[in-house]
Amino acid sequence: MTHPVPTARQSGPDQAPAPVTPKKPAPPRTLGLRPDLHTLSLLGILAVLVAVGGFTEPDAFLDTGNLQLVLTQASVIGVVTVGVTFVITSGGIDLSVGAMVALASVWASTVATQEYGLAGILFTAVLVGLGAGLVNGVLIAYGRVVPFIATLAMLASARGVALMITDGKTQIVTVDAVLDLGLPDSYVLGVPPLVLIFAAVTAAGWLLLNRTTFGRRTVAIGGNAEAARLAGIDVRRQRLCLYLLSGLCCGIAAFMLIILSGSGQNTAGNLYELDAIAAAIIGGTLLSGGRGTITGSVLGVLIFTTITNIFALNNLQSDVQQIAKGAIIVAAVLVQSRTARTET
């Protein structure tokens, strides 16, 4: 009669138990503020641009007023880019952000709305942005319309409604509380209020994407929507919320644009959709979805705004500026494609 030989998983009566390998302690959690190589490269590009601007036009570019202007101009498109970053991270696209900014700005600057003062203008701009985002979200999430088509339709419709409201005329804002926010007297320690709004939206967007379940669900949907659905994520509701978020950012940007220009125009926000998408892509957000970075998007906005400012100070043609932007976008996409192939 033979006895079974103890295996690795069985211990004989006189056999000592197998030693247990102690687990390595988990690394301490950080706030995720350590910059990666891509972020450092963006900072390097921005530093080079600042050096070029300071070399070509030292008196004009490095002037405090000009630097405040650059940050102020970056703030409006920057708020829009935060919302667009969430949408692209989820694997979607929003081509209507510029038109939504225009619609919200003209609706919030009508004579009837201005009677309710600053609060009325702000509330109307945000409400219109949310309403347009809701339409996009319902069409895409529940109507199963392709995001490209749905947002393209919203682009045309919103521009048309904005033109109908203004009848092609500029609507001048006469509310002193709104106009005062654009004056130097309202700056906080030399920082314009629009920059502070941009900083607040950026911080909220970073926390939402990196430190909440909402952000993790957004990344999961962008990586694999079907796998996210099988994991219990309500994909349709999440997409609806994402386009609502994009509309909210457009409403805030419209209010900021009213402060900056002192008016509402149906041509406002022209090509914002291209600038926002380009800034997000340059920042490191994958156009195919699954990865997004608010920090990178903000740096992308600052890079584009700085380029525009340098070109303007050096009296270079706008067509050269557009060519330069196009070349940067192509280079960013090529780098993304190469990185994706390397990772796989």
Side-chain angles (χ1 to χ4, degrees):
M1 182 175 179
T2 59
H3 296 281
V5 179
T7 62
R9 295 188 179 182
Q10 296 176 335
S11 298
D14 298 328
Q15 186 176 1
V20 179
T21 304
K23 294 182 178 179
K24 294 182 179 180
R29 291 190 63 185
T30 63
L31 291 176
L33 297 177
R34 184 170 55 187
D36 56 11
L37 181 60
H38 186 78
T39 303
L40 292 175
S41 64
L42 292 175
L43 288 172
I45 294 173
L46 186 59
V48 169
L49 289 175
V50 172
V52 170
F55 178 76
T56 56
E57 291 289 340
D59 296 332
F61 182 80
L62 297 178
D63 181 71
T64 302
N66 183 66
L67 296 178
Q68 290 175 337
L69 176 63
V70 171
L71 291 176
T72 301
Q73 292 176 339
S75 298
V76 180
I77 186 62
V79 171
V80 175
T81 304
V82 171
V84 169
T85 299
F86 277 88
V87 173
I88 297 179
T89 302
S90 70
I93 197 72
D94 194 347
L95 301 177
S96 62
V97 289
M100 287 194 293
V101 169
L103 178 60
S105 68
V106 300
W107 207 321
S109 59
T110 59
V111 175
T113 304
Q114 292 189 49
E115 293 179 357
Y116 296 93
L118 184 149
I121 293 176
L122 174 60
F123 179 77
T124 302
V126 170
L127 190 62
V128 172
L130 284 172
L134 177 63
V135 174
N136 281 337
V138 169
L139 288 175
I140 294 168
Y142 295 94
R144 300 186 181 278
V145 180
V146 178
F148 182 90
I149 300 300
T151 57
L152 187 63
M154 175 57 70
L155 183 155
S157 301
R159 286 288 180 190
V161 175
L163 180 61
M164 182 177 63
I165 292 175
T166 61
D167 195 23
K169 301 176 183 178
T170 299
Q171 298 179 161
I172 304 299
V173 176
T174 58
V175 180
D176 292 336
V178 175
L179 299 176
D180 290 344
L181 292 176
L183 299 177
D185 294 340
S186 64
Y187 290 6
V188 180
L189 299 177
V191 180
L194 297 187
V195 178
L196 297 177
I197 296 174
F198 177 35
V201 172
T202 299
W206 187 92
L207 291 173
L208 187 62
L209 183 61
N210 296 283
R211 290 293 175 265
T212 67
T213 304
F214 183 87
R216 289 191 290 271
R217 289 174 177 173
T218 301
V219 174
I221 291 175
N224 191 323
E226 181 60 20
R229 185 187 67 82
L230 294 175
I233 298 176
D234 191 334
V235 176
R236 293 188 298 179
R237 184 176 64 183
Q238 183 72 13
R239 282 176 174 161
L240 173 62
C241 292
L242 288 168
Y243 282 95
L244 276 173
L245 178 61
S246 180
L248 172 63
C249 290
C250 289
I252 297 173
F255 177 71
M256 297 169 66
L257 197 59
I258 290 174
I259 295 174
L260 186 62
S261 63
S263 62
Q265 305 175 41
N266 66 287
T267 57
N270 188 33
L271 296 181
Y272 271 20
E273 55 277 356
L274 298 182
D275 289 341
I277 293 172
I281 294 173
I282 290 174
T285 299
L286 285 181
L287 192 57
S288 56
R291 189 179 72 193
T293 163
I294 299 297
T295 303
S297 296
V298 170
L299 291 175
V301 170
L302 292 176
I303 287 173
F304 270 137
T305 308
T306 304
I307 291 175
T308 301
N309 184 259
I310 292 174
F311 274 57
L313 292 178
N314 287 275
N315 297 320
L316 297 177
Q317 298 296 326
S318 59
D319 52 356
V320 180
Q321 173 184 323
Q322 298 300 325
I323 293 173
K325 285 185 177 181
I328 293 173
I329 295 171
V330 172
V333 173
L334 290 176
V335 170
Q336 278 193 4
S337 301
R338 184 172 181 180
T339 303
R341 288 195 300 268
T342 303
E343 292 177 350
T344 55

